[in-house]
Amino acid sequence: MAQKKAHEVDNWLARPDPRAVIVLIYGPDRGLVAERGRAFAEKSGLPLDDPFTVVRLEGSEVEKESGRLLDEAHTVPMFSSRRLLWVRNAAGQKGLADDIKVLSKEPPRDAIVLIEAGDLKKGAALRTVVEGCDWGMALPCYADEARSIDQVIDEEMQKAGVSLTMEARQALRKNLGGDRLASRGEIQKLTLYAMGKSQIDLEDVKAMIGDVSGISFDDAIDAVLEGKIEAFDTVFTRHTQTGAQAFLMLAAAMRQFQSIQLMRGAMENGGTRNAASVVAAARPPVFFSRRKIVEGAVERWTGPALARALARLQDAVLQTRRRPDLASAIARQALLGIAVESARLRQRR
């Protein structure tokens, strides 16, 4: 089988098998797919900025223009010994799988085919063809584990010429891993923030996450999103004791659920897009300390469930205006009900 396990991919990319002329890099971590695609392209030794040598195609283009990929694969290169055909944003396109099936029977003599794809399930046509090809290689990309995250942190720290305290590393590690490029971006922002220092400490990481007083409702809303009922009750009580106005928490919850509704729509309409990629692409960006929580909510909360939650919140806001003396109790009941539903959604997965 022409495939590698997730933990074997980096070692293979460090020394690619020259017989592999059809390389499929796929998985839910689109940032990692792109990073590894770039790494393989660089290993080809071809000038990546030369449009005569490197042909960049979108998966949708290959699907629309039947035979385009085959024509490119059989074109004799003019200025180099071979060409790189770099297909990005591939998914379950039948036309692309059919073209690769043709090339799998007779390898292209003057071309390397590199395909970057989303999360292809086992048995997907494109995966099946490449994995069964003698001159192909399929490389999966899944969300970074702790060991991989540490490696990315070390790489960026080394580039910036700074070190990291253990406490800062632990805090940073908890908030990374959904998407490789997004993780690198967050680490790079941290090193830029700490420019001029020889060592990054916990306070630097906290500063990059955001001022606690400015996002004070996030603890309560995160407990709601995760269905942690006792944690929500504790945090909500603390906020009310400090004089926080209940309707402000309801408003913050509405903004969060409206944002999740938009991201859920983007994920469903995007076909192969996953929660990690839509959260990483969200604007305004989600604080990286909360990304995993929001990703989980986007995965669990369906359109109808989100509509119910928003209707409950809107009704609670109206009730607090009518009965300001009961605002705290009304807000607590509404948010607690949503937390209960969130807990049920977690159990179903």
Side-chain angles (χ1 to χ4, degrees):
M1 298 291 285
Q3 60 178 311
K4 293 294 180 183
K5 294 181 180 179
H7 68 275
E8 300 173 327
V9 174
D10 286 328
N11 286 337
W12 189 89
L13 285 172
R15 292 178 296 277
D17 187 338
R19 295 171 296 178
V21 294
I22 302 175
V23 176
L24 169 65
I25 304 178
Y26 70 93
D29 190 334
R30 301 303 291 268
L32 184 53
V33 169
E35 183 173 292
R36 285 173 167 171
R38 180 83 184 181
F40 177 78
E42 290 174 348
K43 283 289 185 178
S44 71
L46 298 172
L48 302 187
D49 58 349
D50 183 353
F52 295 101
T53 303
V54 179
V55 179
R56 302 174 191 269
L57 299 168
E58 290 291 313
S60 57
E61 287 182 71
V62 178
E63 186 70 11
K64 290 179 182 178
E65 302 178 39
S66 179
R68 168 77 184 278
L69 184 62
L70 295 178
D71 290 341
E72 295 287 359
H74 294 129
T75 298
V76 178
M78 297 178 62
F79 304 107
S80 61
S81 60
R82 55 185 177 173
R83 302 160 79 223
L84 174 64
L85 310 182
W86 196 342
V87 182
R88 288 174 165 163
N89 298 315
Q93 294 100 339
K94 182 178 183 300
L96 175 58
D98 289 343
D99 285 350
I100 295 300
K101 187 173 183 179
V102 172
L103 293 175
S104 71
K105 295 177 181 177
E106 183 177 351
R109 302 172 66 180
D110 303 310
I112 302 171
V113 181
L114 168 61
I115 307 167
E116 294 180 9
D119 191 11
L120 301 176
K121 303 299 181 184
K122 187 176 179 63
L126 186 57
R127 268 188 67 178
T128 301
V129 171
V130 177
E131 290 173 354
C133 177
D134 291 337
W135 37 84
M137 179 56 66
L139 306 173
C141 297
Y142 299 111
D144 286 324
E145 298 177 350
R147 183 176 178 181
S148 300
I149 293 172
D150 276 327
Q151 181 179 345
V152 175
I153 292 173
D154 290 339
E155 289 173 359
E156 295 302 326
M157 291 297 127
Q158 186 174 1
K159 288 179 186 177
V162 295
S163 60
L164 195 67
T165 67
M166 183 59 66
E167 293 82 3
R169 178 182 290 272
Q170 291 172 348
L172 182 59
R173 187 193 295 131
K174 291 178 182 178
N175 303 303
L176 301 176
D179 180 277
R180 174 66 70 88
L181 291 185
S183 295
R184 282 196 188 277
E186 296 297 343
I187 300 169
Q188 289 165 359
K189 283 196 293 184
L190 176 61
T191 58
L192 182 63
Y193 171 81
M195 184 177 292
K197 298 183 65 174
S198 61
Q199 187 176 63
I200 294 174
D201 56 29
L202 181 59
E203 293 305 313
D204 295 320
V205 175
K206 287 182 177 179
M208 282 304 300
I209 291 174
D211 178 47
V212 175
S213 63
I215 55 173
S216 58
F217 293 133
D218 282 350
D219 288 347
I221 294 171
D222 288 349
V224 170
L225 294 178
E226 293 189 288
K228 296 181 177 180
I229 298 170
E230 292 184 3
F232 162 74
D233 203 36
T234 300
V235 175
F236 183 87
T237 300
R238 186 173 72 240
H239 282 304
T240 55
Q241 289 174 344
T242 58
Q245 298 186 55
F247 80 89
L248 291 178
M249 188 180 296
L250 290 172
M254 284 184 65
R255 288 194 298 272
Q256 180 65 82
F257 274 87
Q258 287 167 345
S259 176
I260 291 171
Q261 190 177 50
L262 289 173
M263 288 185 278
R264 176 74 187 196
M267 185 176 74
E268 292 178 345
N269 296 331
T272 59
R273 294 190 73 185
N274 53 63
S277 63
V278 296
V279 172
R283 293 295 179 271
V286 178
F287 280 110
F288 72 132
S289 62
R290 303 183 61 240
R291 277 189 180 159
K292 291 184 179 180
I293 294 173
V294 176
E295 287 171 12
V298 172
E299 289 178 346
R300 291 190 298 272
W301 283 83
T302 62
L306 287 166
R308 289 195 301 271
L310 285 168
R312 186 193 292 259
L313 290 169
Q314 289 169 350
D315 182 67
V317 170
L318 179 61
Q319 293 299 323
T320 58
R321 290 173 180 171
R322 291 175 175 172
R323 295 294 307 271
D325 56 321
L326 297 177
S328 180
I330 292 168
R332 180 182 180 278
Q333 184 177 12
L335 292 168
L336 189 59
I338 297 173
V340 170
E341 182 163 6
S342 185
R344 290 172 180 166
L345 292 173
R346 286 179 69 99
Q347 292 175 355
R348 293 175 187 171
R349 293 186 64 84

